[in-house]
Amino acid sequence: MSFKTMRAALVVAALGSVATVALSPAMAQDAAKPAAAPAAKPAAGGSALGDDPVVARANGKEFKRSDVIALLQQLDPQVQQMPLQMIYPQLVEQLIQAQLVTEAGYKAKLQDSADVKKRMKQAEEQFVQQAWLKGEIDKKLTQDKLKAAYDKWMKENPPQDEVRASHILVKTKEEADAIIKQLKGGADFAKLAAEKGTDGTKDQGGDLGYFTKDRMVPEFANAAFAMKVGDVSAAPVQTEFGFHVIKLADKRKQVPPTFDQATPQLRQMVAQEIAEEVVRGLEKAAKVEKFNIDGSPMAPAAPAPAKP
């Protein structure tokens, strides 16, 4: 892991859980609404969502429903989407087992061991790093900085042309020629895609959605962008994946994301820039010595070339 990557990880940790929004012009047209977090349903015997009943005990240690929900929120998003009642027994069991192992460890006085103390110190240092970086980011991450980042991104990423196309992918030219002949005879494109297509798009009638020219292999992109809306390719288009029959559904110019739509991603970008800036400031003010892996003095790094 590079130092820049490590610093970025610290930024993410300092910011907490931030929803990532793809910073692309197409998002303004095609962005799906984020899925709502699953609401916790009252466990059996609970009367209202505001209740927090005891759900288990282990050697006198009580666990409440809120402990189960807190554990669930630490797990993978795929697990969080599962019905709570389905995984509730396993969550309770995990809480109990963790408590029993913890008790056994304390009984063995492992909290006083050098290894545990070292790890506790490392964890404390990590939390201190995150808290300090978060404070610096909060002070410097202003609305003006976000707007400046948005203006810069808009200037560097002008809207591109994009098309929406469907295709039927088959293995041989003969199959593709036969499909084109059927289409000319009035066959339904989506139905043929479902019957003849060999890739995952066949379940959507061959629909590829909107894409820019650089998103597809050159042979396919050149053919699609040269077509008119409503056209079906007169001849099969060969790529490394096989032979395609293409139907062009639409052409449009990308609509860039609004500032509000882009703000979540902009916050992460600007926060990382701020973190790198403040850490570089710390490095400049500190007395730092670096050595090679064998302990010998490390040659100073060559200065970065001046920007024009």
Side-chain angles (χ1 to χ4, degrees):
M1 178 185 289
S2 69
F3 182 53
K4 185 172 182 179
T5 303
M6 292 171 64
R7 189 179 299 149
L10 283 173
V11 172
V12 172
L15 287 173
S17 177
V18 180
T20 301
V21 179
L23 194 61
S24 71
M27 67 172 288
Q29 296 149 312
D30 303 316
K33 294 183 179 179
K41 297 180 179 179
S47 58
L49 201 59
D51 293 344
D52 194 15
V54 172
V55 296
R57 291 188 181 91
N59 291 337
K61 167 73 174 178
E62 290 187 345
F63 297 98
K64 296 187 176 183
R65 182 194 295 143
S66 58
D67 297 315
V68 176
I69 301 302
L71 175 59
L72 176 62
Q73 292 172 345
Q74 297 174 29
L75 303 179
D76 292 338
Q78 296 91 332
V79 178
Q80 295 184 35
Q81 296 300 320
M82 297 174 67
L84 178 58
Q85 292 183 350
M86 179 185 297
I87 57 176
Y88 171 77
Q90 290 85 356
L91 293 172
V92 172
E93 186 69 16
Q94 188 169 337
L95 284 172
I96 292 171
Q97 291 176 353
Q99 176 62 23
L100 295 178
V101 172
T102 299
E103 289 178 4
Y106 274 103
K107 187 175 181 179
K109 303 295 184 183
L110 291 180
Q111 68 272 26
D112 298 325
S113 69
D115 182 57
V116 169
K117 287 183 176 180
K118 179 181 178 181
R119 294 187 181 207
M120 290 291 290
K121 181 61 176 175
Q122 290 172 340
E124 178 185 279
E125 290 174 353
Q126 183 178 1
F127 289 134
V128 169
Q129 291 171 16
Q130 293 173 3
W132 186 82
L133 270 178
K134 183 179 186 303
E136 293 300 303
I137 290 169
D138 288 345
K139 286 189 294 185
K140 300 175 183 292
L141 205 162
T142 63
Q143 197 75 353
D144 287 343
K145 281 186 178 291
L146 291 175
K147 288 181 178 177
Y150 176 74
D151 292 340
K152 180 183 177 184
W153 186 88
M154 289 286 289
K155 184 177 180 180
E156 294 174 350
N157 297 272
Q160 300 182 55
D161 292 323
E162 59 183 5
V163 300
R164 181 173 186 175
S166 299
H167 79 146
I168 304 173
L169 175 64
V170 292
K171 293 181 179 180
T172 67
K173 183 176 183 298
E174 289 72 22
E175 290 175 285
D177 284 332
I179 290 171
I180 292 173
K181 185 175 181 180
Q182 287 179 271
L183 291 170
K184 288 181 178 179
D188 181 75
F189 191 97
K191 185 176 180 180
L192 280 181
E195 294 174 355
K196 308 289 186 180
T198 59
D199 71 329
T201 66
K202 67 178 185 178
D203 296 330
Q204 292 81 44
D207 186 16
L208 293 164
Y210 285 95
F211 54 88
T212 53
K213 202 168 186 179
D214 58 351
R215 294 283 302 277
M216 297 293 178
V217 293
E219 300 89 347
F220 188 97
N222 290 336
F225 274 79
M227 296 169 64
K228 296 179 180 178
V229 174
D231 281 354
V232 174
S233 49
V237 177
Q238 184 177 8
T239 70
E240 59 189 284
F241 304 105
F243 292 84
H244 307 256
V245 179
I246 305 171
K247 180 179 181 179
L248 194 72
D250 192 22
K251 287 186 176 184
R252 72 182 186 185
K253 180 76 73 172
Q254 289 177 328
V255 176
T258 65
F259 174 74
D260 288 341
Q261 288 172 327
T263 292
Q265 180 71 3
L266 289 171
R267 284 183 60 85
Q268 288 189 341
M269 291 166 52
V270 176
Q272 182 170 330
E273 292 172 1
I274 292 172
E276 293 184 12
E277 179 185 335
V278 296
V279 172
R280 282 196 300 267
L282 293 176
E283 288 176 327
K284 289 180 181 179
K287 182 181 179 181
V288 177
E289 298 177 272
K290 296 181 181 181
F291 303 90
N292 293 312
I293 196 168
D294 61 359
S296 60
M298 183 180 293
K307 294 183 179 180

